[in-house]
Amino acid sequence: MVFFFTCSDPKYVVYMGKDKFENEDLIKYGWPEDIWFHVDKYSSAHVYLRLPPGSVDLAGVKDKGEAKQKLLDAMAEVDPKIMNEMAQLTKHNSIEGCKLAEADIVYTPCLNLKKEERMDTGQVGFKDESFRLLMKNVEKDKDIIKFIERSRIERKVDLAGEKAQRDEEERMRRRKFIEEQKRKEKTEKAEHEREKELKSYADLQHLEKTSNVGVTKTGSIEECREIEEDFM
């Protein structure tokens, strides 16, 4: 069972693991559109903010640097108000963190999470530590907590099935993108060839008009024959 919440913008999906065992599945079946939140240096719930479909478009990305920048850009577009709501929800669902006057909240793309065999159940690491971002000195906001917690519902989710469906839709979208790119390149190439052909034809016409300029005076058949004989 997974806990779902409603934030102040319905285009986002907010969810949280019920316990450390469920957190294992959430890590395993996370989406590229997911941002993971946790209280820094304390145990807490794993809270996720799922961005709208298409927010993280990695089609055509050629290296990790470019992928990282796209993920950073996607997170930067999230309204600070939504980010604060996630921080409040995360802090509130930490046995130790909720008692602190202030706490730091760490967040990172789900794609940056790393799970190793030596780790305890529910424990997670990071593939790139520099991609581990912090919201510093988060103070408790009772109104925000009350607003979000009031929307809490518990729902059984086929995490593996939903992830497989999402991946299939993404593959179809990428195939469509690649096909569209190929059609575009084919059209541009045809247009280029057409312009090249028209230019050659125009040059030929110009050459025909100017090649005999000044050679004949009257244009008579007799004069043309005389010119031919001179060339021969």
Side-chain angles (χ1 to χ4, degrees), residues 38-228:
H38 196 274
V39 176
D40 192 34
K41 299 178 182 178
Y42 293 96
S43 64
S44 80
H46 292 207
V47 177
Y48 292 81
L49 177 69
R50 179 162 293 167
L51 307 182
S55 298
V56 181
D57 185 1
L58 300 179
V61 172
K62 299 178 181 179
D63 56 60
K64 291 182 179 180
E66 185 180 355
K68 181 177 179 179
Q69 188 58 54
K70 280 184 173 288
L71 291 168
L72 283 171
D73 292 342
M75 292 194 298
E77 291 180 2
V78 179
D79 192 316
K81 180 180 180 181
I82 303 299
M83 295 296 286
N84 186 39
E85 290 177 0
M86 297 303 98
Q88 292 294 330
L89 180 62
T90 305
K91 183 178 183 299
H92 181 67
N93 284 278
S94 169
I95 295 175
E96 298 171 282
C98 69
K99 300 174 184 177
L100 300 174
E102 296 179 346
D104 295 342
I105 306 299
V106 60
Y107 65 99
T108 194
C110 185
L111 289 176
N112 192 41
L113 298 179
K114 177 177 66 175
K115 186 69 183 179
E116 297 177 347
E117 291 184 5
R118 62 178 179 80
M119 293 179 175
D120 295 333
T121 302
Q123 185 180 6
V124 69
F126 306 97
K127 299 173 184 176
D128 183 349
E129 284 289 336
S130 68
F131 214 175
R132 177 182 175 277
L133 308 176
L134 283 177
M135 299 176 67
K136 302 285 290 185
N137 306 320
V138 176
E139 299 180 1
K140 182 177 181 178
D141 188 319
K142 293 181 180 180
D143 292 334
I144 292 179
I145 293 171
K146 182 178 180 180
F147 165 73
I148 296 181
E149 283 290 350
R150 190 170 53 197
S151 68
R152 178 193 290 247
I153 60 171
E154 189 174 4
R155 180 155 52 91
K156 187 175 182 180
V157 181
D158 180 6
L159 296 172
E162 289 192 359
K163 178 64 162 49
Q165 181 180 350
R166 180 263 169 206
D167 290 346
E168 178 59 27
E169 290 174 353
E170 178 64 14
R171 281 192 290 269
M172 291 177 64
R173 189 189 68 79
R174 290 192 179 187
R175 281 198 295 268
K176 185 177 180 181
F177 172 80
I178 293 173
E179 289 172 359
E180 183 62 31
Q181 285 295 105
K182 288 182 178 179
R183 281 196 294 269
K184 184 179 179 181
E185 291 173 1
K186 185 177 180 180
T187 300
E188 289 177 349
K189 183 178 180 180
E191 183 63 25
H192 176 72
E193 291 296 328
R194 180 173 176 275
E195 290 177 355
K196 184 178 179 181
E197 184 178 345
L198 288 174
K199 185 177 183 302
S200 297
Y201 180 70
D203 290 344
L204 180 60
Q205 283 188 316
H206 179 70
L207 180 62
E208 290 176 347
K209 291 179 180 179
T210 60
S211 59
N212 291 324
V213 173
V215 175
T216 66
K217 296 178 181 179
T218 65
S220 64
I221 295 175
E222 291 76 9
E223 186 177 7
C224 288
R225 286 175 178 172
E226 290 178 3
I227 294 171
E228 289 177 358

Side-chain angles (χ1 to χ4, degrees), residues 2-30:
V2 180
F3 292 118
F4 287 86
F5 302 84
T6 301
C7 65
S8 57
D9 191 335
K11 72 181 179 181
Y12 298 106
V13 176
V14 180
Y15 67 99
M16 180 178 75
K18 185 175 183 179
D19 53 40
K20 64 180 182 180
F21 299 102
E22 190 169 64
N23 286 338
E24 290 290 302
D25 288 335
L26 296 185
I27 295 168
K28 182 177 180 181
Y29 297 112

